[in-house]
Amino acid sequence: MAIKTTQAFDDQKPGTSGLRKKVARFTLPNYLENFVQSIFDSAPELRGGTLIVGGDGRYYNDRAIQIILRMAKANGVAQVIAGQDGLLSTPAASHLIRKFGAQGGMVLSASHNPGGPDGDFGIKYNGENGGPVPESVTDAIYARSQMITEYKIVAAQPVDLSACAELFLGDMRISIIDPVTDYADLMEELFDFPAIRTLISGGFTIYFDAMHAVTGPYAKEIFSNRLGAPGEALINCKPSETFGGGHPDPGPANAKDLFAAMFGDNAPDFGAASDGDGDRNIILGKNLFVSPSDSVAVIAANAHLAPGYKGGITGVARSMPTSSALDRVAGALGVPCYETPTGWKFFGNLLDAGKITICGEESAGTSSHHVREKDGIWAVLMWLNISAARGQSVAQIMQDHWQCYGRNYYARHDYEAVDIDKAHKVMGHLRGQLDNLPGQSFGQYRVKFADSFTYTDPIDGSVSDNQGLRVGFDNGSRFVMRLSGTGTVGATLRLYGEVLETAKDRLDLAPEDVLAELFTIARKLTDVHALTGRDEPSLMT
Ligand code: G16
């Protein structure tokens, strides 16, 4: 075993979901090694334990895994379970940690960020519950990375990950497993596969875009082999290290083929896509995009129709900027709804304590207590199960939902790659007004509350402050401004708006029309355009 000397890098603070940087940064000598050693130093349970390793197959995935294997051996790990070809979707990695009682998992992904030599790379560490470790651990990893002077690694030839096998690196066992089977079996336990198979064989057409990312092999096994979807129902299913030159973010800007099909003539009945590492999802019907905030609300309202949830749900949670459509369902079901900061790690304690069954985020993440990550394929299967059980199209399900609970019109405007100082000025400008806003009126909007969101974890009492600025109005509408924690260039400001509408004849309006006045007020109060020098958001979803 060799001990290599190194020097700290000052930018290894994990963001919303692990450490994400440009590939050029991650591949600097010792950059990955420093961060991985900081994980080993902060997670002593890995010594003598089992570690799950895999990633979304992006550029540098293959070399990074080899480095991690050699460092795992040098740091005393007893067994590594790795996905064949180094692939594991994020939810599958979470499942494997739980299934095999592993002490932790390293997932190599920068999620929906682009890949390739000029793209992004990332690594996140999940703990023994299968979920992203809490802030106390990411803070410890960062602190360690700032004082690191050496890392441990063994010299070895590259391990052949191309076939399922049991190998050894010295006395460390390396189990290379099929990345799909365990996960697909779990899905079959949770959902009514015979009913979904009957739905599909009866002519209900589905269209799934894997975006050349990790979900391709999962989609083929689950949707084609186990559920009988025809080959043409699945597109872009071969993982590629550049995501086919695309950007594995399943929105209209990037999942172009899918959106063209779903909004074209003879659209399929059901469309869906997932992202780079398979934890995000989007759902579409014919000529209809389901807002992720609505999706988690529909799932919570209908989960009992799936076998794995037939006993009902104990509670739900959403990230703060996610619309309150979920709160309305929880109210009707008589279960608690928790509001957490952005970041899947904040759901972990609630799930572990059995306080919630379903949780989701506006950023296209939805999941349940079956794993401790958001889960793209799971969400698609849940929607298919609901469609099969209700005998309804996506549009009919949404109409029924809005008639019952009202509609939270919702949109997010992103200002990407903004100069960091300017972004902080925008936040400071709004923060400075918060105390004086309550009671003020802007057109039909009267401010009810304005605050900086602080979360106190109900299980361990840990406090997370500065989680975004909220301005709520008497009519149930709200806007939120926060800084993203996942970008790799400058700062990304996110402005989120929602307007609650309960009048039965106002549930079918164009969201941009309903939200226009609210966003005008939000832009005025934040002064985002003048302070950033931008005329418009770079992305609207
Ligand atoms: C990550 C987190 C999510 C978060 C999303 C966006 O998702 O796991 O909880 O909602 O980033 O975060 P931000 O608004 O800070 O950019 P993913 O899919 O990128 O890992």
Side-chain angles (χ1 to χ4, degrees), residues 422-437:
K422 289 181 179 170
H424 283 292
K425 266 197 191 120
V426 176
M427 295 300 287
H429 181 65
L430 180 59
R431 189 178 288 111
Q433 302 168 68
L434 293 177
D435 288 349
N436 295 326
L437 282 176

PDB file of all heavy atoms in Angstrom, residues 422-437:
ATOM      1  N   LYS A 422     -23.052  39.108  -8.464  1.00  0.00           N
ATOM      2  CA  LYS A 422     -24.357  39.671  -8.868  1.00  0.00           C
ATOM      3  C   LYS A 422     -25.494  38.821  -8.300  1.00  0.00           C
ATOM      4  O   LYS A 422     -26.516  39.345  -7.856  1.00  0.00           O
ATOM      5  CB  LYS A 422     -24.452  39.735 -10.395  1.00  0.00           C
ATOM      6  CG  LYS A 422     -23.541  40.795 -11.002  1.00  0.00           C
ATOM      7  CD  LYS A 422     -23.695  40.815 -12.517  1.00  0.00           C
ATOM      8  CE  LYS A 422     -22.793  41.903 -13.109  1.00  0.00           C
ATOM      9  NZ  LYS A 422     -22.713  41.824 -14.562  1.00  0.00           N
ATOM     10  N   ALA A 423     -25.314  37.510  -8.339  1.00  0.00           N
ATOM     11  CA  ALA A 423     -26.362  36.625  -7.806  1.00  0.00           C
ATOM     12  C   ALA A 423     -26.567  36.900  -6.317  1.00  0.00           C
ATOM     13  O   ALA A 423     -27.708  36.971  -5.831  1.00  0.00           O
ATOM     14  CB  ALA A 423     -25.977  35.163  -8.031  1.00  0.00           C
ATOM     15  N   HIS A 424     -25.470  37.087  -5.586  1.00  0.00           N
ATOM     16  CA  HIS A 424     -25.611  37.376  -4.151  1.00  0.00           C
ATOM     17  C   HIS A 424     -26.269  38.733  -3.928  1.00  0.00           C
ATOM     18  O   HIS A 424     -27.003  38.924  -2.961  1.00  0.00           O
ATOM     19  CB  HIS A 424     -24.246  37.286  -3.458  1.00  0.00           C
ATOM     20  CG  HIS A 424     -23.819  35.856  -3.234  1.00  0.00           C
ATOM     21  ND1 HIS A 424     -24.467  35.022  -2.344  1.00  0.00           N
ATOM     22  CD2 HIS A 424     -22.861  35.105  -3.813  1.00  0.00           C
ATOM     23  CE1 HIS A 424     -23.901  33.818  -2.373  1.00  0.00           C
ATOM     24  NE2 HIS A 424     -22.930  33.839  -3.272  1.00  0.00           N
ATOM     25  N   LYS A 425     -26.033  39.656  -4.853  1.00  0.00           N
ATOM     26  CA  LYS A 425     -26.686  40.974  -4.721  1.00  0.00           C
ATOM     27  C   LYS A 425     -28.204  40.840  -4.826  1.00  0.00           C
ATOM     28  O   LYS A 425     -28.963  41.482  -4.101  1.00  0.00           O
ATOM     29  CB  LYS A 425     -26.189  41.917  -5.831  1.00  0.00           C
ATOM     30  CG  LYS A 425     -25.033  42.764  -5.366  1.00  0.00           C
ATOM     31  CD  LYS A 425     -24.817  43.955  -6.283  1.00  0.00           C
ATOM     32  CE  LYS A 425     -23.492  44.590  -5.916  1.00  0.00           C
ATOM     33  NZ  LYS A 425     -22.520  44.625  -6.979  1.00  0.00           N
ATOM     34  N   VAL A 426     -28.649  39.996  -5.783  1.00  0.00           N
ATOM     35  CA  VAL A 426     -30.094  39.789  -5.947  1.00  0.00           C
ATOM     36  C   VAL A 426     -30.685  39.220  -4.653  1.00  0.00           C
ATOM     37  O   VAL A 426     -31.704  39.715  -4.146  1.00  0.00           O
ATOM     38  CB  VAL A 426     -30.386  38.824  -7.120  1.00  0.00           C
ATOM     39  CG1 VAL A 426     -31.876  38.531  -7.221  1.00  0.00           C
ATOM     40  CG2 VAL A 426     -29.862  39.405  -8.427  1.00  0.00           C
ATOM     41  N   MET A 427     -30.011  38.214  -4.108  1.00  0.00           N
ATOM     42  CA  MET A 427     -30.516  37.604  -2.869  1.00  0.00           C
ATOM     43  C   MET A 427     -30.531  38.641  -1.740  1.00  0.00           C
ATOM     44  O   MET A 427     -31.493  38.743  -0.977  1.00  0.00           O
ATOM     45  CB  MET A 427     -29.638  36.404  -2.473  1.00  0.00           C
ATOM     46  CG  MET A 427     -29.662  35.237  -3.449  1.00  0.00           C
ATOM     47  SD  MET A 427     -31.282  34.492  -3.701  1.00  0.00           S
ATOM     48  CE  MET A 427     -31.516  33.629  -2.158  1.00  0.00           C
ATOM     49  N   GLY A 428     -29.464  39.407  -1.665  1.00  0.00           N
ATOM     50  CA  GLY A 428     -29.367  40.421  -0.605  1.00  0.00           C
ATOM     51  C   GLY A 428     -30.440  41.493  -0.759  1.00  0.00           C
ATOM     52  O   GLY A 428     -31.018  41.963   0.233  1.00  0.00           O
ATOM     53  N   HIS A 429     -30.719  41.852  -2.008  1.00  0.00           N
ATOM     54  CA  HIS A 429     -31.721  42.893  -2.272  1.00  0.00           C
ATOM     55  C   HIS A 429     -33.100  42.445  -1.763  1.00  0.00           C
ATOM     56  O   HIS A 429     -33.803  43.205  -1.090  1.00  0.00           O
ATOM     57  CB  HIS A 429     -31.757  43.156  -3.779  1.00  0.00           C
ATOM     58  CG  HIS A 429     -32.711  44.220  -4.188  1.00  0.00           C
ATOM     59  ND1 HIS A 429     -32.565  45.540  -3.812  1.00  0.00           N
ATOM     60  CD2 HIS A 429     -33.853  44.169  -4.912  1.00  0.00           C
ATOM     61  CE1 HIS A 429     -33.549  46.253  -4.304  1.00  0.00           C
ATOM     62  NE2 HIS A 429     -34.357  45.436  -4.979  1.00  0.00           N
ATOM     63  N   LEU A 430     -33.459  41.204  -2.075  1.00  0.00           N
ATOM     64  CA  LEU A 430     -34.756  40.719  -1.605  1.00  0.00           C
ATOM     65  C   LEU A 430     -34.730  40.498  -0.088  1.00  0.00           C
ATOM     66  O   LEU A 430     -35.685  40.869   0.621  1.00  0.00           O
ATOM     67  CB  LEU A 430     -35.129  39.411  -2.331  1.00  0.00           C
ATOM     68  CG  LEU A 430     -36.469  38.792  -1.931  1.00  0.00           C
ATOM     69  CD1 LEU A 430     -37.633  39.756  -2.195  1.00  0.00           C
ATOM     70  CD2 LEU A 430     -36.721  37.486  -2.711  1.00  0.00           C
ATOM     71  N   ARG A 431     -33.629  39.949   0.396  1.00  0.00           N
ATOM     72  CA  ARG A 431     -33.542  39.673   1.841  1.00  0.00           C
ATOM     73  C   ARG A 431     -33.743  40.963   2.647  1.00  0.00           C
ATOM     74  O   ARG A 431     -34.432  40.974   3.669  1.00  0.00           O
ATOM     75  CB  ARG A 431     -32.196  39.031   2.181  1.00  0.00           C
ATOM     76  CG  ARG A 431     -32.132  38.513   3.617  1.00  0.00           C
ATOM     77  CD  ARG A 431     -30.813  37.833   3.959  1.00  0.00           C
ATOM     78  NE  ARG A 431     -30.690  36.544   3.321  1.00  0.00           N
ATOM     79  CZ  ARG A 431     -29.837  36.250   2.343  1.00  0.00           C
ATOM     80  NH1 ARG A 431     -29.016  37.181   1.887  1.00  0.00           N
ATOM     81  NH2 ARG A 431     -29.784  35.050   1.820  1.00  0.00           N
ATOM     82  N   GLY A 432     -33.188  42.056   2.133  1.00  0.00           N
ATOM     83  CA  GLY A 432     -33.283  43.337   2.833  1.00  0.00           C
ATOM     84  C   GLY A 432     -34.705  43.857   2.941  1.00  0.00           C
ATOM     85  O   GLY A 432     -34.998  44.717   3.777  1.00  0.00           O
ATOM     86  N   GLN A 433     -35.620  43.355   2.094  1.00  0.00           N
ATOM     87  CA  GLN A 433     -37.003  43.858   2.115  1.00  0.00           C
ATOM     88  C   GLN A 433     -37.953  42.968   2.918  1.00  0.00           C
ATOM     89  O   GLN A 433     -39.116  43.325   3.135  1.00  0.00           O
ATOM     90  CB  GLN A 433     -37.554  43.933   0.686  1.00  0.00           C
ATOM     91  CG  GLN A 433     -36.767  44.795  -0.270  1.00  0.00           C
ATOM     92  CD  GLN A 433     -37.228  44.543  -1.699  1.00  0.00           C
ATOM     93  OE1 GLN A 433     -38.337  44.876  -2.074  1.00  0.00           O
ATOM     94  NE2 GLN A 433     -36.383  43.915  -2.489  1.00  0.00           N
ATOM     95  N   LEU A 434     -37.476  41.780   3.303  1.00  0.00           N
ATOM     96  CA  LEU A 434     -38.403  40.774   3.847  1.00  0.00           C
ATOM     97  C   LEU A 434     -39.220  41.297   5.027  1.00  0.00           C
ATOM     98  O   LEU A 434     -40.447  41.076   5.090  1.00  0.00           O
ATOM     99  CB  LEU A 434     -37.632  39.514   4.278  1.00  0.00           C
ATOM    100  CG  LEU A 434     -36.986  38.708   3.144  1.00  0.00           C
ATOM    101  CD1 LEU A 434     -36.202  37.524   3.704  1.00  0.00           C
ATOM    102  CD2 LEU A 434     -38.043  38.210   2.151  1.00  0.00           C
ATOM    103  N   ASP A 435     -38.577  41.998   5.942  1.00  0.00           N
ATOM    104  CA  ASP A 435     -39.284  42.433   7.158  1.00  0.00           C
ATOM    105  C   ASP A 435     -40.423  43.399   6.851  1.00  0.00           C
ATOM    106  O   ASP A 435     -41.412  43.457   7.584  1.00  0.00           O
ATOM    107  CB  ASP A 435     -38.299  43.112   8.123  1.00  0.00           C
ATOM    108  CG  ASP A 435     -37.365  42.088   8.762  1.00  0.00           C
ATOM    109  OD1 ASP A 435     -37.648  40.881   8.607  1.00  0.00           O
ATOM    110  OD2 ASP A 435     -36.363  42.502   9.372  1.00  0.00           O
ATOM    111  N   ASN A 436     -40.264  44.173   5.764  1.00  0.00           N
ATOM    112  CA  ASN A 436     -41.273  45.201   5.474  1.00  0.00           C
ATOM    113  C   ASN A 436     -42.369  44.747   4.515  1.00  0.00           C
ATOM    114  O   ASN A 436     -43.331  45.475   4.298  1.00  0.00           O
ATOM    115  CB  ASN A 436     -40.593  46.444   4.867  1.00  0.00           C
ATOM    116  CG  ASN A 436     -39.664  47.088   5.881  1.00  0.00           C
ATOM    117  OD1 ASN A 436     -39.955  47.059   7.080  1.00  0.00           O
ATOM    118  ND2 ASN A 436     -38.545  47.613   5.421  1.00  0.00           N
ATOM    119  N   LEU A 437     -42.206  43.582   3.932  1.00  0.00           N
ATOM    120  CA  LEU A 437     -43.173  43.169   2.899  1.00  0.00           C
ATOM    121  C   LEU A 437     -44.552  42.765   3.437  1.00  0.00           C
ATOM    122  O   LEU A 437     -45.564  43.107   2.810  1.00  0.00           O
ATOM    123  CB  LEU A 437     -42.595  42.025   2.063  1.00  0.00           C
ATOM    124  CG  LEU A 437     -41.563  42.442   1.002  1.00  0.00           C
ATOM    125  CD1 LEU A 437     -40.996  41.208   0.304  1.00  0.00           C
ATOM    126  CD2 LEU A 437     -42.187  43.381  -0.028  1.00  0.00           C
TER     127      LEU A 437
END
